[in-house]
Amino acid sequence: GNSVTQMEGPVTLSEEAFLTINCTYTATGYPSLFWYVQYPGEGLQLLLKATKADDKGSNKGFEATYRKETTSFHLEKGSVQVSDSAVYFCALSINTGGFKTIFGAGTRLFVKA
Amino acid sequence: NAGVTQTPKFQVLKTGQSMTLQCAQDMNHNSMYWYRQDPGMGLRLIYYSASEGTTDKGEVPNGYNVSRLNKREFSLRLESAAPSQTSVYFCASNQRQGGSYNEQFFGPGTRLTVL
């Protein structure tokens, strides 16, 4: 079946540290891949996406590359800020007789000043 | 544009009571979704509507019903609430473009507690 696995949190970093949140997926076809971010008390919002192998999604200093050979879509940022503290969700969207989005469990990030 | 709106924001029910969560979107999207979010479990799809007039079960539909009232509105009903339905509920919408669906747009959520 289709699934998304992402690293468990919480992840705690100091400001300006390098961030990696791992995400791997299982899919029977060719999914689109997404990272969503959820700030406290809010709904999810799209952070970045990639629709085919080797595509790199980027936004607000975050990047992720669609790696078909390793079925991965790891999220990275070179220098995190306190304002990046949030929950990050990796997700895939695939046509299984109707497009559905499957979300990972989420990774909570705390950034200390 | 307001995007996706949900009402109410908070609700407390007693076991056995019923209620309807309302969702509306003003982006002219065809598809709408209801999810529940529980700690450590990410988002789980309850029901979705690929287009006006159609609804389908998701991963966890038991205890819920939905109505796609028109293209804008998609409601979720709990007929007889149970403590296991204590959760945060999110409505989302998106639009098919070419051969795939675009990202989903989420409402702010409804925090439901069933005592």
Side-chain angles (χ1 to χ4, degrees):
Chain A
N2 302 304
S3 65
V4 174
T5 302
Q6 60 182 105
M7 62 189 287
E8 287 189 27
V11 174
T12 302
L13 296 173
S14 296
E15 209 165 21
E16 299 183 4
F18 185 85
L19 169 71
T20 299
I21 300 178
N22 291 336
C23 171
T24 56
Y25 68 90
T26 302
T28 52
Y30 300 98
S32 296
L33 301 175
F34 304 85
W35 277 101
Y36 287 85
V37 59
Q38 183 181 32
Y39 299 103
E42 297 183 8
L44 281 69
Q45 56 186 274
L46 179 70
L47 180 59
L48 53 84
K49 68 178 181 182
T51 57
K52 60 183 188 297
D54 300 324
D55 269 1
K56 177 186 282 189
S58 61
N59 186 26
K60 300 181 181 179
F62 291 90
E63 293 182 341
T65 300
Y66 189 144
R67 301 286 189 198
K68 189 167 179 289
E69 64 276 11
T70 54
T71 62
S72 65
F73 192 55
H74 304 321
L75 182 68
E76 297 181 336
K77 186 175 186 183
S79 176
V80 294
Q81 305 301 311
V82 172
S83 57
D84 293 326
S85 297
V87 182
Y88 293 83
F89 292 89
C90 185
L92 68 83
S93 179
I94 194 162
N95 188 355
T96 56
F99 278 90
K100 295 190 190 147
T101 301
I102 297 167
F103 291 87
T107 302
R108 185 174 295 276
L109 170 67
F110 292 105
V111 180
K112 302 179 297 185
Chain B
N1 287 352
V4 179
T5 57
Q6 293 182 236
T7 55
K9 284 188 166 40
F10 301 93
Q11 185 71 49
V12 178
L13 294 177
K14 295 181 180 177
T15 296
Q17 288 185 315
S18 62
M19 79 160 296
T20 299
L21 282 64
Q22 306 286 354
C23 173
Q25 53 91 9
D26 62 3
M27 295 172 283
N28 204 35
H29 287 166
N30 281 333
S31 301
M32 299 184 72
Y33 309 81
W34 276 105
Y35 295 92
R36 59 178 290 173
Q37 183 180 30
D38 301 294
M41 301 189 73
L43 273 74
R44 292 184 292 170
L45 183 64
I46 304 171
Y47 270 93
Y48 68 102
S49 171
S51 60
E52 187 178 356
T54 69
T55 59
D56 286 286
K57 294 178 180 178
E59 184 184 354
V60 289
N62 290 347
Y64 305 96
N65 285 299
V66 291
S67 295
R68 183 74 183 266
L69 304 169
N70 48 54
K71 192 172 186 179
R72 290 186 65 247
E73 298 172 289
F74 189 40
S75 63
L76 178 72
R77 182 159 178 84
L78 286 69
E79 290 291 352
S80 179
S84 61
Q85 294 178 305
T86 294
S87 188
V88 181
Y89 291 85
F90 288 100
C91 179
S93 70
N94 68 354
Q95 181 70 26
R96 182 167 183 162
Q97 185 171 24
S100 65
Y101 277 85
N102 284 337
E103 67 270 19
Q104 295 189 7
F105 292 80
F106 285 82
T110 295
R111 188 174 295 275
L112 174 67
T113 301
V114 183
L115 303 175

